[in-house]
Amino acid sequence: MSAKARIELRPTPHIHAPQDVTVIMRNVVLACLPLAGWAVWQYGLSAALLGVTVVASCLLTEWLFGRGETLRDWSAVITGLLLFLTLPPGFPLWMGAVAGVTAIGLGKTLFGGLGMNVFNPALVGRAFVQAAFPVAITTWTPPFFEGRFSGLIPTTLTLPFTIPPETSRWAGAVAVDAFTGATPLALAKFQQSLSPATDLFLGTTAGSAGESSALLVLVCGLYLAARKMLDWRIPVSVLAGAALTAALFHLLDPERHPDAGFTLLSGGLMLGAWFMATDMVGSPVTPRGVVIYGLLIGVVTVVIRLFGGLTEGVMYAILLGNAATPLIDQLTQPRVFGEKRR
Amino acid sequence: MRLFRRKTFSHGIHPPDHKAETAHSPIRRLPFPPRLVVPLDQHIGKPAVPLVHKGQEVVRGEPIARADGFLSAPVHAPATGRVRDIRPMPTARDRLTPCILIDVYEAATQEVLWHYPWQPRKMDRQALIQAVREMGLVGLGGAAFPSHVKLSVPEDKPAHTLVVNGCECEPYLSCDHRVMVEQPAELLRGVRYALRATGAKRAIIGIEDNKPDAIRLLQKLTAEEPAIEVEAVATKYPQGSEKMLIRSLMGLEVPAGGIPLDIGVVVNNVGTLAMLGALLPQGEALTERVITVTGPGVQRPGNYRVPLGTPIGFVLREAGYRGEAGDFVLGGPMMGPSVSDLRTPITKGSSGLLVLDEAAVRRESPRTWPCIHCGRCVNACPMRLNPAMLGRLAAAGEYQRMAAKYHLSDCFECGSCSWICPARIPLVQQFRVAKQWLRDQERRKRHAAPPRQQPLEASGKEVRAA
Ligand code: SF4
Ligand code: SF4
């Protein structure tokens, strides 16, 4: 060894776990890709264009706000992908871009960037467009329609600030089965008709780009959980909270309220539980806190679905959970080692 | 039952242990370096006071500095030679501390020539503790707390159990493991002395279950001795911290802010007790110790018996380190400090010399990110603190709130939170700074009379800006 070796002085500990932020984010992106892929398979070219538009607008916004170096941590890609998965596949592209800009600009950068945001940025974007474009966001497309890889859904290329064309005639013409233009949740709410569980599970029903196959969401979510990149206690308690609440109401009035199985498999609950509620930044850090947070989201989701004016409540439930996170953390500080049991 | 519930504590981490590199290499003796650098403060407490002068000849084992008060320990000549100088030198404590420099006689036999007239058979509690004090023994696991203080159990706070710490939970280190396997008789002798000195009725030797050979061997040797139990505990960092080990073995929690003796327990490290068992019958003092020399870049990793005061540069030459740069750690990678100078000596508290070469350092020095609130640190902290919150407060300079509301003082800087943090936030470092600031504040308050009516918030910012 040479006499004048260069010596590094570093604080303890001198070693670190292999998973850093970039590794985690990359894997979340990886886990979202099959969901996006399924959406494209179901809805064709329009979905692909929408996905690219939304992700690009998120990245562009992140870059514009002077955070060029933060592009490399992949978190803006996650926001974009998740946002895309919550939108109807025929959503006009320009509205998708608006959603992306809002998600990053309003949901993330305004709070100070990665780690500082209170709410899940993707849901902020989605909430914004839901308020701004209430019709477009509830215009559904039949899955597996004919010619989906050669043509576009008529609404996709709507020019900015014009009203999207009416699609029900087009949908009726291209749909494989009779298409009612409603999601399983809407059917259940307004017509008391439950879609079969297998359709929901495999994802052959109408809905947002990424919310229709519970099975696929489950598989991708379990991958992340197995690699310890999401806290499995969150989805489990969200689903438990929703199932219990649904079962209770179903027991009280089986005619009006759907059962727990339908509740779990329909709408965005699976996607929300595994991919949105688990967003680390907006969820609590304490062991008891994550369970309370999950249960809260599950219960609120079902209550909104059954008693609110909306068919779907996951988004608002998660935003509410995000808002409650600091308080939950405060109230669930674990007992410090050696402290008297309270 | 053992199959289903392993003895352990809650939280903690599982870093890769890297013990295979050295765990099976028998302890070898290193030659004496031409010059020893023997610090006077190799222990917690007041530094020792030199008994020798420049130019004086010393023989191996002879006292060269005496303890200064009760919380202190004497120092003995690790080799026969001549005192070259007494002057400040850099040590692992990261500053200049007074050291006795000894030029070692090349031709000396290096037998221990200086003996105490101890007769262990006839010694009572007081005499045993006095002998431990005279031999300069301190905790060899890394804390370097004077052993006679630990073994002195006051009348009004009796100890019922002696916990013997054989966990060695720090990655890379295996010197305690080797000592248990190679010197079980000395270890058990030391345990018996410690039982006698403390008046405890039973001893439990706790060993992480990644060292099955040590567990089996010691279980066999103590089969006939009901006072000494050998227990396997889960392999998990920081199992070897006193409080965690007591929790794992006995299900008891040391009260926050308290010490093990508050619940009637005395904890000693296996290396320390094996040393006690080896030295006391011989009438010898502490002059050497076993260290693990390892890490990427070390060509002959292994366990070496080295004289105290051996500069790490000499150890590295002997063990073969070719790198041009590196992070040189005295102790394990989780809690051991980096040293800045290759003349830094091995002292009583150095359990290892870990070298992370350039490649390893580069792998370990990535950028940091903002806290993503992932909660991993909260689920890792063995004290069940909230490092994420502490980190946020530290970044904002709110040191007082860290202590008042978030139990900063219960953090023992084990590093689990920093290890696991995906954002690579140097949490432990921040906590250390915060604690230091609060200590300084406390000292200033005590010295400045009358206390200045200065808003603490403002002064905090000043200090941080400096
Ligand atoms: S260093 Fe302190 S805060 Fe971090 S895990 Fe260890 S005890 Fe907890
Ligand atoms: S581990 Fe790091 S990023 Fe995660 S919550 Fe703790 S401080 Fe924040």
Side-chain angles (χ1 to χ4, degrees):
Chain A
M1 192 174 71
S2 80
K4 38 184 197 323
R6 268 182 301 117
I7 297 181
E8 303 259 351
L9 273 183
R10 294 185 309 136
T12 62
H14 301 268
I15 51 175
H16 292 91
Q19 281 183 14
D20 63 21
V21 166
T22 312
V23 174
I24 296 177
M25 299 289 180
R26 259 207 312 262
N27 275 278
V28 177
V29 171
L30 204 66
C32 288
L33 286 179
L35 301 179
W38 178 250
V40 173
W41 176 240
Q42 272 182 307
Y43 300 106
L45 220 48
S46 292
L49 280 180
L50 180 63
V52 170
T53 309
V54 174
V55 172
S57 64
C58 283
L59 285 173
L60 200 70
T61 316
E62 179 94 11
W63 179 77
L64 269 184
F65 277 102
R67 296 177 179 271
E69 81 277 12
T70 62
L71 282 180
R72 267 179 299 155
D73 65 27
W74 292 89
S75 63
V77 179
I78 297 179
T79 302
L81 279 173
L82 288 178
L83 177 56
F84 158 61
L85 293 174
T86 63
L87 296 175
F91 203 54
L93 296 183
W94 76 272
M95 293 184 187
V98 169
V101 171
T102 331
I104 297 291
L106 196 68
K108 185 170 166 195
T109 317
L110 208 63
F111 286 100
L114 177 68
M116 304 303 287
N117 47 301
V118 174
F119 300 104
N120 185 329
L123 291 182
V124 171
R126 153 89 198 200
F128 181 81
V129 289
Q130 171 139 10
F133 315 114
V135 176
I137 201 109
T138 50
T139 304
W140 308 105
T141 310
F144 305 113
F145 61 84
E146 278 168 45
R148 61 190 186 280
F149 292 111
S150 49
L152 294 172
I153 301 170
T155 45
T156 297
L157 289 183
T158 311
L159 290 176
F161 307 107
T162 58
I163 297 185
E166 178 60 33
T167 57
S168 50
R169 286 244 319 282
W170 166 83
V174 295
V176 181
D177 300 323
F179 182 67
T180 57
T183 62
L185 269 179
L187 291 176
K189 188 172 181 88
F190 303 118
Q191 297 167 22
Q192 271 81 40
S193 107
L194 296 190
S195 312
T198 42
D199 288 357
L200 294 172
F201 198 58
L202 298 175
T204 51
T205 56
S208 298
E211 73 179 19
S212 43
S213 172
L215 175 66
L216 202 56
V217 173
L218 207 60
V219 169
C220 296
L222 284 175
Y223 163 77
L224 286 182
R227 298 215 51 194
K228 297 209 162 70
M229 296 190 183
L230 64 73
D231 189 339
W232 60 271
R233 293 170 297 188
I234 294 176
V236 167
S237 36
V238 171
L239 297 177
L244 289 178
T245 318
L248 181 73
F249 285 113
H250 183 65
L251 211 64
L252 293 178
D253 188 352
E255 289 294 294
R256 273 191 47 210
H257 301 311
D259 59 26
F262 176 83
T263 304
L264 290 189
L265 297 177
S266 59
L269 187 60
M270 274 290 165
L271 186 70
W274 288 93
F275 285 88
M276 309 272 184
T278 49
D279 174 26
M280 292 162 178
V281 179
S283 57
V285 294
T286 63
R288 271 183 304 150
V290 290
V291 175
I292 295 174
Y293 164 86
L295 290 175
L296 176 77
I297 291 175
V299 172
V300 173
T301 301
V302 173
V303 170
I304 295 179
R305 276 189 187 180
L306 298 184
F307 304 107
L310 303 160
T311 55
E312 179 55 300
V314 185
M315 179 178 81
Y316 291 109
I318 294 176
L319 289 173
L320 186 77
N322 290 160
T325 287
L327 184 68
I328 295 177
D329 265 342
Q330 273 294 320
L331 296 179
T332 54
Q333 285 300 317
R335 181 181 61 86
V336 169
F337 187 98
E339 234 188 5
K340 288 235 164 51
R341 277 164 214 281
R342 279 166 293 192
Chain B
M1 190 61 197
R2 177 76 54 70
L3 262 179
F4 302 103
R5 276 202 59 205
R6 293 198 305 168
K7 291 183 182 274
T8 193
F9 61 98
S10 63
H11 295 184
I13 55 170
H14 296 276
D17 74 357
H18 290 288
K19 289 186 193 270
E21 289 95 314
T22 56
H24 302 288
S25 63
I27 300 169
R28 276 172 292 170
R29 183 177 287 282
L30 226 53
F32 284 79
R35 181 177 299 166
L36 292 170
V37 179
V38 187
L40 293 171
D41 64 344
Q42 303 182 45
H43 49 265
I44 287 178
K46 278 187 143 177
V49 182
L51 295 169
V52 293
H53 54 80
K54 201 165 152 174
Q56 184 175 333
E57 266 192 359
V58 291
V59 297
R60 184 155 187 227
E62 166 185 359
I64 52 174
R66 63 172 170 80
D68 186 7
F70 186 61
L71 186 58
S72 181
V75 177
H76 300 76
T80 297
R82 189 183 293 280
V83 175
R84 164 103 190 181
D85 202 357
I86 301 178
R87 64 156 187 258
M89 294 283 286
T91 68
R93 300 204 160 184
D94 202 39
R95 55 190 155 90
L96 292 177
T97 53
C99 297
I100 299 176
L101 277 56
I102 299 174
D103 283 338
V104 178
Y105 288 165
E106 241 173 84
T109 59
Q110 296 304 355
E111 272 168 59
V112 177
L113 298 171
W114 211 94
H115 294 272
Y116 288 92
W118 297 321
Q119 288 178 309
R121 269 175 218 291
K122 298 197 191 124
M123 289 168 123
D124 62 0
R125 269 173 88 162
Q126 282 316 313
L128 271 174
I129 289 170
Q130 184 56 29
V132 171
R133 193 172 172 187
E134 280 170 336
M135 73 172 64
L137 191 62
V138 305
L140 301 181
F145 194 80
S147 297
H148 66 275
V149 181
K150 256 194 166 173
L151 295 174
S152 304
V153 175
E155 292 290 326
D156 57 334
K157 245 190 200 175
H160 49 75
T161 306
L162 171 73
V163 165
V164 184
N165 188 347
C167 294
E168 198 162 54
C169 60
E170 275 267 11
Y172 286 101
L173 302 187
S174 65
C175 54
D176 282 353
H177 184 182
R178 289 315 303 175
V179 166
M180 286 190 281
V181 175
E182 294 182 34
Q183 303 179 279
E186 283 92 336
L187 168 59
L188 293 177
R189 205 185 302 139
V191 172
R192 286 178 214 120
Y193 292 145
L195 278 173
R196 222 196 303 164
T198 54
K201 287 282 166 295
R202 63 163 183 163
I204 314 176
I205 306 178
I207 304 171
E208 277 193 351
D209 56 12
N210 60 355
K211 300 180 253 300
D213 52 344
I215 298 172
R216 268 198 306 272
L217 177 64
L218 289 169
Q219 262 168 352
K220 206 176 79 201
L221 293 176
T222 55
E224 306 285 300
E225 210 168 338
I228 305 180
E229 294 159 41
V230 179
E231 289 279 5
V233 291
T235 300
K236 176 160 88 167
Y237 183 87
Q239 185 70 266
S241 98
E242 289 187 344
K243 292 184 174 185
M244 303 313 138
L245 183 57
I246 294 173
R247 169 69 189 71
S248 301
L249 289 173
M250 309 172 65
L252 299 174
E253 287 190 359
V254 176
I259 58 167
L261 199 52
D262 294 340
I263 53 170
V265 181
V266 173
V267 185
N268 269 268
N269 164 269
V270 285
T272 315
L273 292 187
M275 189 61 90
L276 174 62
L279 297 178
L280 196 69
Q282 307 291 332
E284 289 178 13
L286 179 64
T287 59
E288 59 183 22
R289 66 158 300 149
V290 180
I291 62 168
T292 304
V293 183
T294 185
V298 174
Q299 286 169 322
R300 288 179 294 282
N303 289 292
Y304 296 94
R305 192 176 293 281
V306 294
L308 298 173
T310 304
I312 63 167
F314 181 82
V315 176
L316 289 175
R317 253 195 312 283
E318 293 294 323
Y321 179 67
R322 284 264 188 73
E324 288 294 313
D327 177 8
F328 302 91
V329 182
L330 266 182
M334 295 301 296
M335 293 182 80
S338 276
V339 298
S340 57
D341 193 312
L342 293 179
R343 291 171 301 170
T344 305
I346 300 294
T347 61
K348 295 177 181 179
S350 322
S351 45
L353 174 54
L354 168 66
V355 185
L356 298 171
D357 64 1
E358 235 171 323
V361 168
R362 223 174 305 117
R363 256 200 314 280
E364 286 293 339
S365 317
R367 44 184 287 233
T368 63
W369 291 264
C371 169
I372 55 167
H373 217 242
C374 67
R376 292 178 181 200
C377 53
V378 179
N379 290 300
C381 178
M383 294 303 291
R384 294 193 292 265
L385 308 181
N386 186 340
M389 185 49 113
L390 284 169
R392 284 192 179 203
L393 290 175
E398 298 201 41
Y399 300 149
Q400 247 109 17
R401 260 188 83 204
M402 293 167 74
K405 289 203 66 183
Y406 292 93
H407 307 271
L408 177 63
S409 62
D410 285 313
C411 165
F412 64 103
E413 298 169 22
C414 70
S416 301
C417 50
S418 295
W419 181 80
I420 207 155
C421 177
R424 298 286 188 260
I425 300 169
L427 294 163
V428 179
Q429 185 60 15
Q430 293 178 334
F431 303 162
R432 219 175 270 133
V433 169
K435 285 182 189 173
Q436 185 60 46
W437 185 86
L438 289 166
R439 267 197 301 273
D440 291 349
Q441 199 68 17
E442 192 60 35
R443 200 170 311 135
R444 222 169 302 152
K445 228 186 285 171
R446 249 185 290 126
H447 289 315
R452 275 175 301 161
Q453 287 300 315
Q454 186 190 25
L456 291 167
E457 229 55 5
S459 61
K461 301 234 168 63
E462 270 168 40
V463 171
R464 276 182 300 113

